[in-house]
Amino acid sequence: MNTEHLKEPIDIAIAKFKNHPSINKINEHLPNPSPINFESISQEDTENIFKSFDIKKGSSFNSIPGRILKEHGCMYYDTVTNMVNNSITSCYFPSKLKNAYINPTIKPGKKDRTDMGSYRPISVLPYASKIFERVLKIQIQKHLDRILHPHLCGYREGFSAQHALISMLEKWKKSLDNGGFAGAVLMDLSKAFDCVDHELLIAKLNAYGLLGIF
């Protein structure tokens, strides 16, 4: 696919993988995806987010501690609600809330602390950023729950490896009871997230209707 006439990275990624097998499969299942429309939140939504904070988790330097927000959040509900709604209306995420402190954490099983490859970066964001993140996550999840297969268990709230195993075992038992066979192909990719093609990921998000408002 010729992308020389395109300038925006997102447009280039979408055009580049327009005919990719995985994109074609999504288009078969979802030929006319409805773009996600983020909705304004209420002060009650903001209150629920504040009360759900895990104050044991760290926050970036010079940001308001989670304990203060959780215990005295009623002072900020109106302000934060307006900030989030203005961001949703303008499709703009505050740049300062993207700044994170990177905390290098030793990987399990790694003993050589002098090797950079033994560490993984942990991004510590301010709690204000987590408020925006929670709002968008809830609405994106609702959008995807109407699209994704009901038995898809990976990285979905309310699902776990146990759900996948139970579903798999039930299918195996039915197959064996009917005189059939049962088998599985298992793969474990080392550094799986590092293998993700970001351009292909952008193209898939677009196919699911997640880039329509940008």
Side-chain angles (χ1 to χ4, degrees):
M1 174 71 66
N2 185 7
T3 59
E4 294 181 356
H5 63 289
L6 301 174
K7 296 181 180 180
E8 294 295 329
I10 290 179
D11 294 334
I12 293 174
I14 294 172
K16 181 178 178 180
F17 290 98
K18 182 178 180 180
N19 297 316
H20 190 273
S22 62
I23 301 297
N24 291 335
K25 202 66 179 178
I26 294 174
N27 291 335
E28 290 178 11
H29 173 66
L30 200 69
N32 297 303
S34 300
I36 184 172
N37 292 310
F38 289 108
E39 301 175 354
S40 299
I41 65 171
S42 65
Q43 287 195 33
E44 183 180 357
D45 296 326
T46 303
E47 181 180 356
N48 291 334
I49 291 173
F50 271 65
K51 290 181 178 180
S52 68
F53 277 147
D54 183 359
I55 59 177
K56 294 181 181 179
K57 293 185 177 180
S59 181
S60 61
F61 183 68
N62 280 341
S63 66
I64 301 175
R67 182 180 295 276
I68 299 297
L69 291 174
K70 188 167 187 175
E71 295 178 356
H72 306 283
C74 56
M75 300 170 58
Y76 310 104
Y77 292 161
D78 183 58
T79 301
V80 171
T81 301
N82 289 333
M83 286 175 56
V84 173
N85 287 337
N86 288 336
S87 178
I88 290 174
T89 301
S90 62
C91 296
Y92 174 78
F93 188 86
S95 298
K96 289 186 177 180
L97 297 186
K98 299 177 185 179
N99 295 331
Y101 285 87
I102 306 300
N103 181 24
T105 303
I106 193 76
K107 295 178 181 178
K110 298 291 185 179
K111 297 182 179 180
D112 186 1
R113 294 181 176 270
T114 62
D115 181 12
M116 291 181 59
S118 298
Y119 295 85
R120 61 188 180 97
I122 302 296
S123 297
V124 183
L125 292 163
Y127 272 91
S129 176
K130 297 175 183 179
I131 296 170
F132 282 80
E133 180 183 290
R134 188 69 59 84
V135 170
L136 299 180
K137 176 201 169 188
I138 292 172
Q139 299 196 30
I140 290 174
Q141 188 171 349
K142 287 182 179 179
H143 178 81
L144 291 178
D145 281 343
R146 298 192 294 265
I147 298 173
L148 299 179
H149 194 281
H151 293 163
L152 181 63
C153 300
Y155 305 101
R156 295 181 71 185
E157 188 173 352
F159 290 85
S160 67
Q162 291 180 341
H163 292 85
L165 289 172
I166 291 172
S167 175
M168 184 172 62
L169 288 172
E170 287 300 317
K171 289 182 179 180
W172 284 355
K173 287 193 293 184
K174 287 182 179 179
S175 177
L176 293 174
D177 290 342
N178 294 328
F181 298 90
V185 178
L186 307 177
M187 294 184 293
D188 184 12
L189 299 177
S190 177
K191 299 181 180 180
F193 282 101
D194 295 340
C195 300
V196 175
D197 188 312
H198 289 184
E199 289 187 324
L200 178 57
L201 178 60
I202 289 173
K204 287 187 176 183
L205 290 174
N206 178 70
Y208 281 121
L210 293 175
L211 296 182
I213 64 169
F214 297 109

